[in-house]
Amino acid sequence: MTTFAPGSLVRARGREWVVLPDSDAELLVLRPLGGNADDTTAVLPALEPVVSAQFPLPGIEDLGDAVGGQLLRTALEIGFRSSAGPFRSLGSLSVEPRAYQFVPLLLALRQSPVRLLIADDVGIGKTVEAGMVAAELLAQGDAQRLTVLCSPALAEQWQRELRRKFSIDAEVVLPSTARRLSRGLLLDESLFRRHPFTVVSTDFIKSPQRRQEFLNHCPELVIVDEAHTCVADGAGGGGSLGRTQRYDLMRHIAADGRRHLILVTATPHSGKEEGFRNLVGLLDPALATVNLDTIEGRAQLARHFVQRRRGDVRKYLTEDTDFPSDRLTKEAPYQLSSEYAALFDRVLAYARGQVDDQVDGGSVQRVHQRVRWWSVLALLRALASSPAAAAATLRTRASAASARNVEEADELGRAAVLDTADTDALEGMDATPGADPEADDDSSLGDNRERRHLLELARAADAVAGVQHDKKLALLTTEVKALLADGYDPIVFCRFIPTAAYVADHLRSALRSSATVAAVTGELPPALREERIAALTADGGRHVLVATDCLSEGVNLQDAFQAVVHYDLAWNPTRHEQREGRVDRFGQRRDVVRAVTIYGQDNGIDRIVLDVLIRKFKAIRERTGVSVPVPDEADGVVEALLEGLIRRRGHADQLTFDLGQDARRTALHQQWESAAEREHESRTKYAQEAIHPEDAMREAQAARSVIGARTDIERFALHALPALGAPVVSLAADSWQTDVSAAPAGLRDALPAKVARPLVFHRDLPAPPDHAVLARTDPVIEALARYVLDAALDPLVGPRVASRAGVVRSSDIATRTTLLLLRTRFHIDLPGADGIRQQVCEQASVAAFTGAPGAPEWLDNGSADALAGATPAGNVDASQAADLLRELLEAAPGWQAHLGALADGLADDLLDAHRRVRTGANAPRRGLSVVAQKPVDLLGMYVFLPVPAR
């Protein structure tokens, strides 16, 4: 029985196939020539004839023009899903990575297993960087399963990014989807085994009853988004219950030394050394204690750590990245109307009575007193937000009422009032503080004077709603209209759901037909949030999004919005930065983005937060270039200042500091400055030096030569579709449409079932689900390329638009020159943690010579590539073209030695590239080999003749 080596070409079932590494003498695993993994089949040589094959040369019937030859080459390259180079996954990417985004991938390929912390600034593209590493590990076979752990609000976005950019179809695991995904599972089968790629809510899976199942079936590759929220700040694992549970989950995941772990965060080191040590200790336990002040310690960290600021990558060697050049910020103050000021004074008087009403007794009474304190702060914050939020709060009971002790009451209160909740806990935090609404009816209050008083205050809040009495709302209207007039579509961030609804209703009325307004809050599940935003921006007109902080972190909104308005101050300044980061990030088309902060000059509350927190945070960021979270002590300072405001007799605008409060504020700012200096020093100390920028640029350029430019894809589609009877019917700045109704049936059948009619192509993401994107991995582009290639190689498929042969004249050459389009198959032995993996891949290349075919003078690779782009000046007559092609066909057997040597040279180059990117890994070089399979497939022959002199 004949044995076929992996990568060899065989003929079976009437066509050519490539033999894959899983084959043996009794069972051949085959992939169609030019096909992908979905077309793989198995053949039993004992039952079906299988013979060695050689790809046929083009014939006279294959003659066409130069454009047809270019179409063939592009169609061939689009079909390659596994690059022969060191990055196996690049052929499956629909995104063109920037050169600096190759750094984490290069760092990962030097590790076994991969343990990586990607800590680039907000908006640089950490998701793309983590996705590139994951796609490569999956393509190389180092991992078969993947889980992304993230907040529930970001789960759908991660799912979409993995699918659109990396061709990874992941299932989202949330409380709302887990039951559906578990249906049909076998006994003792886990959904994490049934579904190899998942995006999981960290909060859902961290609970003890679910954690163990996940750990028992945890994939070999885990990505953790916002990883800083998953570690404890103290050596003993101290922190909130949720943070402690997440850290416990992370430690168990990291404990498996074979597991790949990628941590993603923009704030790895917030001035708390213990938290940073716990974070990097997940990558390598030694990093938890190593002396990072030594060169050796920093070198050890650098093997796992990537952190760049925007300024580091804005101009990366010769490559510019289009971040917004500036963020214009503005503070917009307002003053309370007399009616609203009177309501403030009444509420402050009520709050003062609550705080002064001391409770004597045991722990239950002390808890009750702390609940009162946080209820008062929540009420004041809601009153500063809007009449709607104030009225809703006055009609509810405080959320801290469920606390079991003073410490828990303080923890719940700070999370709800001071915005200290972790990212995963943001869901639902935009509701007004309270649990059960009270009936708006005096009869339900009985003799309870306090509750009757609260209802009276709620009705007073209702009475000051609207721009006549609410000057904050009037100011917002002015600011939003100004932004729209300047061409900016803003996101208006509110703290509470009632405020968002109140603001959105007003803006719809005030803006009328000049802009569309929609509100997105935590009441909506993440999928419906995305749908509402997509519907808002679908028509391409001016639009305003009113949102709560459920959209403040991780969500990409830069495609449709260019400005942020802080309608409510976040009492955590990091949240302000996160809000503005929704528009100020990579991919933003505006060169300058805007941010407007609205605050009350005379309500006392806003001025405390603005003076103590927001302005100091901004000043530190502008001076040091880093964003440092507020120190823990800030909670106590703000509480003290607010208590002073409540206890002070007189109007709320009389903001003064007594000596003790002023000293505490000064100490806080000094501590904050020290933390900022430590963070600034750490960014210099721990700067990524393991990968040189020149290395990243070289690999990026080599990868792009394999992927091909997006302009090549568009040129291919614009030539192929009209030639197949699908003319372009409209052309816009960022998209165009084509009518495929008259295209060949084979092409129409190959297109995805759900595509728009007419078919719409977008030059870049985002795009609606039934539209196409001009990227090599888009299903429509894949189907078009496959049809063009199959029709060129097999006349029975349908009409040809790509040609395997041609003779043209060109003014770019001075003598007769022949270009050959080649396809080479490579057998690669790739070492991994579990041994050698055999892989087969294909690569397109060109060769060229001058002179007669029987005595060719071969050109170097650069000249051959340049010839592929020669501009045709005209065709020759059919008889002369046929004669020249016959001459080529007669001489072709004599070229095989040279073409084989070219293939061997390509194999050597590929081997060097594989070794280069794996320098420093434990065992990547042992057993690594790249062997070219011969003979090389000669797909196309094209003769270029000089234009005759006149």
Side-chain angles (χ1 to χ4, degrees), residues 225-240:
D225 195 14
E226 302 300 335
H228 64 280
T229 68
C230 298
V231 293
D233 292 331
S240 68

PDB file of all heavy atoms in Angstrom, residues 225-240:
ATOM      1  N   ASP A 225     -10.732  39.802  31.749  1.00  0.00           N
ATOM      2  CA  ASP A 225     -10.856  41.235  31.488  1.00  0.00           C
ATOM      3  C   ASP A 225     -11.012  41.987  32.813  1.00  0.00           C
ATOM      4  O   ASP A 225     -11.561  41.456  33.782  1.00  0.00           O
ATOM      5  CB  ASP A 225     -12.072  41.483  30.591  1.00  0.00           C
ATOM      6  CG  ASP A 225     -12.057  42.874  29.981  1.00  0.00           C
ATOM      7  OD1 ASP A 225     -10.999  43.544  30.027  1.00  0.00           O
ATOM      8  OD2 ASP A 225     -13.101  43.311  29.452  1.00  0.00           O
ATOM      9  N   GLU A 226     -10.528  43.241  32.831  1.00  0.00           N
ATOM     10  CA  GLU A 226     -10.538  44.062  34.051  1.00  0.00           C
ATOM     11  C   GLU A 226      -9.981  43.241  35.225  1.00  0.00           C
ATOM     12  O   GLU A 226     -10.585  43.139  36.291  1.00  0.00           O
ATOM     13  CB  GLU A 226     -11.949  44.564  34.354  1.00  0.00           C
ATOM     14  CG  GLU A 226     -12.573  45.381  33.240  1.00  0.00           C
ATOM     15  CD  GLU A 226     -11.775  46.639  32.899  1.00  0.00           C
ATOM     16  OE1 GLU A 226     -11.032  47.126  33.791  1.00  0.00           O
ATOM     17  OE2 GLU A 226     -11.892  47.142  31.773  1.00  0.00           O
ATOM     18  N   ALA A 227      -8.793  42.701  35.005  1.00  0.00           N
ATOM     19  CA  ALA A 227      -8.214  41.759  35.963  1.00  0.00           C
ATOM     20  C   ALA A 227      -7.920  42.399  37.316  1.00  0.00           C
ATOM     21  O   ALA A 227      -7.839  41.686  38.327  1.00  0.00           O
ATOM     22  CB  ALA A 227      -6.932  41.157  35.378  1.00  0.00           C
ATOM     23  N   HIS A 228      -7.771  43.720  37.362  1.00  0.00           N
ATOM     24  CA  HIS A 228      -7.457  44.358  38.642  1.00  0.00           C
ATOM     25  C   HIS A 228      -8.597  44.205  39.653  1.00  0.00           C
ATOM     26  O   HIS A 228      -8.378  44.319  40.857  1.00  0.00           O
ATOM     27  CB  HIS A 228      -7.148  45.848  38.423  1.00  0.00           C
ATOM     28  CG  HIS A 228      -8.312  46.634  37.908  1.00  0.00           C
ATOM     29  ND1 HIS A 228      -8.677  46.626  36.583  1.00  0.00           N
ATOM     30  CD2 HIS A 228      -9.198  47.444  38.531  1.00  0.00           C
ATOM     31  CE1 HIS A 228      -9.732  47.403  36.412  1.00  0.00           C
ATOM     32  NE2 HIS A 228     -10.064  47.901  37.580  1.00  0.00           N
ATOM     33  N   THR A 229      -9.824  43.961  39.168  1.00  0.00           N
ATOM     34  CA  THR A 229     -10.942  43.766  40.083  1.00  0.00           C
ATOM     35  C   THR A 229     -10.998  42.347  40.622  1.00  0.00           C
ATOM     36  O   THR A 229     -11.889  42.030  41.419  1.00  0.00           O
ATOM     37  CB  THR A 229     -12.271  44.078  39.382  1.00  0.00           C
ATOM     38  OG1 THR A 229     -12.534  43.085  38.372  1.00  0.00           O
ATOM     39  CG2 THR A 229     -12.241  45.449  38.742  1.00  0.00           C
ATOM     40  N   CYS A 230     -10.073  41.497  40.188  1.00  0.00           N
ATOM     41  CA  CYS A 230     -10.105  40.080  40.560  1.00  0.00           C
ATOM     42  C   CYS A 230      -8.998  39.704  41.523  1.00  0.00           C
ATOM     43  O   CYS A 230      -8.693  38.517  41.693  1.00  0.00           O
ATOM     44  CB  CYS A 230     -10.025  39.202  39.300  1.00  0.00           C
ATOM     45  SG  CYS A 230     -11.408  39.426  38.165  1.00  0.00           S
ATOM     46  N   VAL A 231      -8.353  40.692  42.129  1.00  0.00           N
ATOM     47  CA  VAL A 231      -7.320  40.387  43.117  1.00  0.00           C
ATOM     48  C   VAL A 231      -7.592  41.196  44.370  1.00  0.00           C
ATOM     49  O   VAL A 231      -8.199  42.271  44.333  1.00  0.00           O
ATOM     50  CB  VAL A 231      -5.900  40.698  42.591  1.00  0.00           C
ATOM     51  CG1 VAL A 231      -5.535  39.769  41.462  1.00  0.00           C
ATOM     52  CG2 VAL A 231      -5.783  42.150  42.145  1.00  0.00           C
ATOM     53  N   ALA A 232      -7.169  40.664  45.497  1.00  0.00           N
ATOM     54  CA  ALA A 232      -7.312  41.355  46.766  1.00  0.00           C
ATOM     55  C   ALA A 232      -6.136  42.308  46.961  1.00  0.00           C
ATOM     56  O   ALA A 232      -5.046  42.093  46.444  1.00  0.00           O
ATOM     57  CB  ALA A 232      -7.378  40.344  47.906  1.00  0.00           C
ATOM     58  N   ASP A 233      -6.377  43.379  47.713  1.00  0.00           N
ATOM     59  CA  ASP A 233      -5.331  44.374  47.923  1.00  0.00           C
ATOM     60  C   ASP A 233      -4.353  43.980  49.020  1.00  0.00           C
ATOM     61  O   ASP A 233      -3.228  44.464  49.049  1.00  0.00           O
ATOM     62  CB  ASP A 233      -5.954  45.722  48.289  1.00  0.00           C
ATOM     63  CG  ASP A 233      -6.717  46.313  47.119  1.00  0.00           C
ATOM     64  OD1 ASP A 233      -6.336  46.024  45.969  1.00  0.00           O
ATOM     65  OD2 ASP A 233      -7.693  47.042  47.349  1.00  0.00           O
ATOM     66  N   GLY A 234      -4.761  43.098  49.912  1.00  0.00           N
ATOM     67  CA  GLY A 234      -3.900  42.717  51.017  1.00  0.00           C
ATOM     68  C   GLY A 234      -3.328  41.325  50.838  1.00  0.00           C
ATOM     69  O   GLY A 234      -3.833  40.514  50.071  1.00  0.00           O
ATOM     70  N   ALA A 235      -2.262  41.053  51.549  1.00  0.00           N
ATOM     71  CA  ALA A 235      -1.613  39.752  51.439  1.00  0.00           C
ATOM     72  C   ALA A 235      -2.529  38.637  51.908  1.00  0.00           C
ATOM     73  O   ALA A 235      -2.453  37.511  51.446  1.00  0.00           O
ATOM     74  CB  ALA A 235      -0.317  39.742  52.259  1.00  0.00           C
ATOM     75  N   GLY A 236      -3.432  38.943  52.814  1.00  0.00           N
ATOM     76  CA  GLY A 236      -4.329  37.916  53.320  1.00  0.00           C
ATOM     77  C   GLY A 236      -5.597  37.778  52.519  1.00  0.00           C
ATOM     78  O   GLY A 236      -6.517  37.083  52.946  1.00  0.00           O
ATOM     79  N   GLY A 237      -5.670  38.446  51.370  1.00  0.00           N
ATOM     80  CA  GLY A 237      -6.862  38.336  50.541  1.00  0.00           C
ATOM     81  C   GLY A 237      -7.981  39.241  50.991  1.00  0.00           C
ATOM     82  O   GLY A 237      -9.146  38.970  50.750  1.00  0.00           O
ATOM     83  N   GLY A 238      -7.627  40.330  51.697  1.00  0.00           N
ATOM     84  CA  GLY A 238      -8.654  41.220  52.196  1.00  0.00           C
ATOM     85  C   GLY A 238      -9.376  41.968  51.098  1.00  0.00           C
ATOM     86  O   GLY A 238      -8.898  42.124  49.998  1.00  0.00           O
ATOM     87  N   GLY A 239     -10.551  42.474  51.445  1.00  0.00           N
ATOM     88  CA  GLY A 239     -11.355  43.222  50.491  1.00  0.00           C
ATOM     89  C   GLY A 239     -12.800  42.813  50.608  1.00  0.00           C
ATOM     90  O   GLY A 239     -13.220  42.101  51.518  1.00  0.00           O
ATOM     91  N   SER A 240     -13.629  43.290  49.682  1.00  0.00           N
ATOM     92  CA  SER A 240     -15.037  42.953  49.692  1.00  0.00           C
ATOM     93  C   SER A 240     -15.215  41.463  49.438  1.00  0.00           C
ATOM     94  O   SER A 240     -14.324  40.779  48.933  1.00  0.00           O
ATOM     95  CB  SER A 240     -15.771  43.763  48.628  1.00  0.00           C
ATOM     96  OG  SER A 240     -15.358  43.345  47.339  1.00  0.00           O
TER      97      SER A 240
END
